[in-house]
Amino acid sequence: MEEIIRCSRCILPASLPSVKLDDKGVCNYCNSFDRSFGDWNNVKEMKKKQFEQIVEKVKKQNAEYDCLIPLSGGKDSTYALYVCDKIYNLKCLCITFDNGFLSDYARKNIKNAINATRADHIYFAVNPKTMLELYKQFIVQCGHVCVPCMRGIGLVSYFPLEAFNIPIVISGNGRKISYLSGFPEVFQSGDLTVFQNVCKDIELKNGCASLLDHEPKVSYKSYLSAALNLMGIKDKFVPKYITPGTVGIYDYLDPNYKEILETIAREMGWERAGDSFEHTDCFLHEIPFYIHTIKFPEVTTSTFYYSNRIRLGQMTREEALKLELEEQEKPQIVQGLDDFLKQIGMSREEFIKEVNDWTKIKKYRKEEPFYGKFYRKFRK
């Protein structure tokens, strides 16, 4: 194999369409991470106080539930519930999108987490046949498999807000740990416009009506207000949230996984699936990462994850590169792929052909509105 030119700090290949190296060989993703989080040690106490201010504002609304938590059974959403219930005493409603492939580990961890707290919980599932049709349609149309799930997760994060008048969504997420969202060549968004455009003329439209609607009503004023607040200018439109209407806990709290895993195992009855603690909530979790390697043979299923761990200071570049090269030498065995392809009526050859082109999804995406870009310019 020809030697791969990589970022000198992380292990991202320079051949990826969105990766640009500076004169020191450092990629744009590492530089962007430093601009946003390079002074984290100096500001983390302030960030924690910002989160606590949000908590106080939410409590003052005296709603039936203080927050909605999308609960997958994974480590991060379980930790979000732990923080909200056990540390800050928030009244939590949890909701889980069941895509038809929710793992036994996830179901057990969800049950244990709810039993360990005072939270209420809802499961939401689209008809399984509809979901299988959607998976196949999105593989064919845009070369991705996770968009229907991402749309479902987005849906369950929004529609209960109006039903129960819940002030805010608190998720086990955050830009600091979101290691795929910045990569247009591999990111699978649950954006409503993408979903609607793909589903526009297909027969199953009536079978997934719930996924085609229910979008948060966030106006340009909300984004403008958030940007002004980040600049230190008081504004009357919305509270001082980093993202209007939703909060990712890792935008405010340290993603120290050693401590997090110990905490949720002790306090929430959380169990990992074998040696792994990443993406164990879904039986299909290996498939989207396998798709990355089909689109870009110079990456492995772990390239983006390892690169983010390097930026977080959780592993060295040498450690990551050693694991990366070892993975490149292994034959790929993708758990659940053959059974999944059988269920959607597609051969492996057809699947590889359909997911090969990363540009297929571009025509379904919309340009980000100016107010979103303005807000992102100032957020940190």
Side-chain angles (χ1 to χ4, degrees), residues 204-331:
L204 59 80
K205 179 174 180 179
N206 291 332
C208 58
S210 61
L211 296 176
L212 288 163
D213 299 308
H214 301 292
E215 188 75 350
K217 296 176 175 62
V218 180
S219 69
Y220 75 91
K221 291 182 178 180
S222 298
Y223 277 97
L224 177 61
S225 176
L228 292 173
N229 278 322
L230 291 172
M231 296 164 64
I233 301 171
K234 290 185 178 181
D235 187 77
K236 64 182 180 181
F237 292 123
V238 294
K240 189 176 180 180
Y241 296 156
I242 291 295
T243 303
T246 188
V247 161
I249 57 169
Y250 296 130
D251 283 330
Y252 301 92
L253 307 176
D254 265 324
N256 184 327
Y257 286 137
K258 184 177 184 300
E259 292 182 6
I260 287 169
L261 292 173
E262 290 174 353
T263 298
I264 60 177
R266 182 182 65 249
E267 301 290 338
M268 307 289 279
W270 191 87
E271 297 179 9
R272 68 170 73 196
D275 295 330
S276 176
F277 59 80
E278 290 289 339
H279 305 289
T280 57
D281 49 316
C282 177
F283 283 123
L284 306 182
H285 77 274
E286 292 185 8
I287 297 176
F289 296 97
Y290 173 55
I291 290 175
H292 300 165
T293 71
I294 296 172
K295 295 182 190 299
F296 304 102
E298 63 270 41
V299 306
T300 72
T301 59
S302 304
T303 304
F304 299 97
Y305 173 63
Y306 290 153
S307 294
N308 194 63
R309 288 198 66 193
I310 292 169
R311 297 183 200 109
L312 290 169
Q314 296 176 352
M315 70 189 311
T316 66
R317 186 179 189 274
E318 291 70 26
E319 290 169 337
L321 192 56
K322 181 176 182 293
L323 292 171
E324 178 81 353
L325 296 176
E326 288 175 357
E327 188 169 336
Q328 284 179 339
E329 297 298 320
K330 294 178 182 176

Side-chain angles (χ1 to χ4, degrees), residues 31 36 43 49 62 81 92 132 135 148 186 204-205 216 250 255 301 304 323 327 339 349:
N31 285 326
S36 293
V43 302
K49 287 180 181 177
N62 199 29
L81 176 56
C92 307
L132 290 175
Y135 289 135
V186 295
L204 59 80
K205 179 174 180 179
Y250 296 130
T301 59
F304 299 97
L323 292 171
E327 188 169 336
D339 181 60
E349 291 73 21

Side-chain angles (χ1 to χ4, degrees), residues 149-164:
C149 288
M150 298 300 292
R151 180 64 200 144
I153 292 168
L155 165 69
V156 301
S157 299
Y158 300 132
F159 79 79
L161 298 182
E162 291 186 6
F164 295 98

Side-chain angles (χ1 to χ4, degrees), residues 65 69 71 92-96 110 114 119-123:
Y65 295 103
I69 300 177
L71 184 63
C92 307
L93 174 64
C94 298
I95 191 161
T96 301
I110 289 169
I114 297 302
D120 292 334
H121 179 248
I122 298 171
Y123 272 109

